[in-house]
Amino acid sequence: MELLTRHPHPIPLNTKRLGPISDLAPFSALIISIVLVIFFLVRFYVLEGFLIRRLYGSIYTEMNERNRRGFINHHIAGVTKLIILIVAAYPFISVAFCKGPSFNTPFVEGSVVTLGDILIVVSQMLIGIYIFELIYRVNLSPVAVTHHIGTIFIGQAAIAISLRPLREPDAYVEFVLCTVWGAFDAVFELFPHVAIILYRIFPQWHRFLSRVFLFSCLTTALGTVAETVVTMWLFASTWDRWRLAFKVVTPVLHVAFSAAQIHGSLVFWRMYRRQKRFQREYDAETKYSDVGGEDSVDDQRT
């Protein structure tokens, strides 16, 4: 029995003839090049040039090179993801979950810019974040490297297979699924950037950092669960529109991405536990110092 016959009210995505993603799709190489150049200019002339030192002073200048690069990368990634959320929220929701709007729907009434144009640009911005991090960061875990490389290839492949002469019949739905992955990444991976920045600014605020890292752990874990539910729901609801290769590859890729996100949650859990341990040690030292001070005063009185 076909899945569509089991659902009397099919989801909007399954009823649309999405068509080509955007007239900008063939220019993806140019767009990603512009994104990376902007990242370089912001990093070199703005952040490293003057802004970071003015904002953080000795906190930044006393870091080693590895931590400096990570610190700057989290600023660039965090701000870029915030911009993506603001710009792409309407196009993403309209195409993926609303009836009527498709890739060629104008972004605003009468505009030549379409929803697909916006989604192409923000997808290149998100991919650009990962390319920049792979090139700029001094040290990355194997899990992070695997996640970033996979995201880059899958995101670009979803656009490439929508172009002639490769135009695949299910390429447009695959691109929508990629935007779902990207949306959850931008939402639930935004605060972790803030968490690491706070960790570098307030390294001795153990109680505060333990709460920050616990919140980061919970939000990333929640994001993984929510992403799995939404992605698999869309995947199953559009089952009849997929060819066999995509029916096999898509769940495998999702499992790989979810494993990387779970790894990130575990990292924040370990950081939470470590900050809790530091806080207990600090409280014990403070209590011991207070007791010793009272004994000394009592001795002097006698």
Side-chain angles (χ1 to χ4, degrees):
M1 181 183 295
E2 294 183 352
L3 288 178
L4 285 177
T5 60
R6 303 177 188 177
H7 300 280
H9 303 289
I11 65 170
L13 180 62
N14 208 29
T15 63
K16 295 180 180 180
R17 296 180 58 86
L18 294 175
I21 297 173
S22 167
D23 291 338
L24 296 180
F27 303 96
S28 294
L30 176 61
I31 297 172
I32 193 68
S33 299
I34 294 173
V35 169
L36 292 174
V37 168
I38 292 175
F39 284 167
F40 165 76
L41 295 175
V42 171
R43 189 270 297 178
F44 189 77
Y45 290 105
V46 178
L47 296 180
E48 291 182 344
F50 66 93
L51 187 58
I52 289 290
R53 286 181 173 84
R54 289 189 179 181
L55 288 176
Y56 302 107
S58 60
I59 294 175
Y60 173 74
T61 57
E62 293 176 1
M63 293 181 187
N64 58 38
E65 183 64 16
R66 173 183 172 182
N67 290 341
R68 284 185 183 183
R69 289 187 174 228
F71 194 64
I72 289 176
N73 179 78
H74 285 297
H75 279 78
I76 292 177
V79 172
T80 304
K81 287 182 180 180
L82 182 61
I83 294 173
I84 290 173
L85 288 176
I86 295 173
V87 173
Y90 166 66
F92 165 69
I93 294 174
S94 297
V95 172
F97 301 106
C98 295
K99 294 181 178 179
S102 60
F103 289 128
N104 60 359
T105 301
F107 183 58
V108 295
E109 187 175 355
S111 174
V112 297
V113 179
T114 65
L115 301 182
D117 295 339
I118 300 297
L119 291 176
I120 285 288
V121 172
V122 297
S123 67
Q124 297 303 317
M125 292 172 64
L126 187 62
I127 292 170
I129 292 173
Y130 294 126
I131 295 176
F132 177 81
E133 185 166 348
L134 288 175
I135 296 172
Y136 183 65
R137 291 286 296 271
V138 174
N139 187 36
L140 283 172
S141 69
V143 175
V145 171
T146 302
H147 172 269
H148 291 5
I149 293 176
T151 301
I152 293 167
F153 283 143
I154 297 305
Q156 296 292 44
I159 298 173
I161 62 177
S162 70
L163 303 174
R164 290 178 177 162
L166 293 177
R167 184 167 292 172
E168 298 284 344
D170 44 11
Y172 315 122
V173 184
E174 174 71 13
F175 181 76
V176 172
L177 280 188
C178 287
T179 62
V180 172
W181 283 325
F184 278 95
D185 183 275
V187 171
F188 291 98
E189 298 293 331
L190 176 60
F191 186 78
H193 295 298
V194 178
I196 300 301
I197 292 172
L198 293 174
Y199 173 60
R200 297 302 180 192
I201 299 175
F202 309 111
Q204 303 301 322
W205 292 20
H206 303 305
R207 180 175 285 107
F208 170 71
L209 290 176
S210 66
R211 295 170 180 170
V212 168
F213 291 144
L214 179 60
F215 183 76
S216 298
C217 173
L218 295 177
T219 54
T220 52
L222 176 62
T224 301
V225 174
E227 177 185 326
T228 300
V229 172
V230 174
T231 302
M232 291 299 102
W233 170 65
L234 287 174
F235 180 68
S237 299
T238 56
W239 181 262
D240 294 326
R241 300 183 67 166
W242 297 92
R243 292 195 305 164
L244 179 60
F246 287 91
K247 289 179 179 180
V248 174
V249 171
T250 300
V252 172
L253 292 174
H254 181 74
V255 169
F257 290 155
S258 297
Q261 292 166 338
I262 292 172
H263 171 77
S265 298
L266 293 176
V267 169
F268 279 114
W269 176 257
R270 289 194 291 267
M271 296 177 75
Y272 157 73
R273 295 291 299 273
R274 185 172 64 177
Q275 292 299 320
K276 291 288 288 185
R277 185 178 72 251
F278 289 161
Q279 183 61 44
R280 287 194 299 268
E281 293 173 355
Y282 175 79
D283 291 341
E285 291 176 0
T286 302
K287 182 177 180 180
Y288 177 80
S289 299
D290 291 343
V291 172
E294 292 174 359
D295 291 344
S296 298
V297 172
D298 290 339
D299 290 342
Q300 292 175 5
R301 286 177 181 176
T302 56

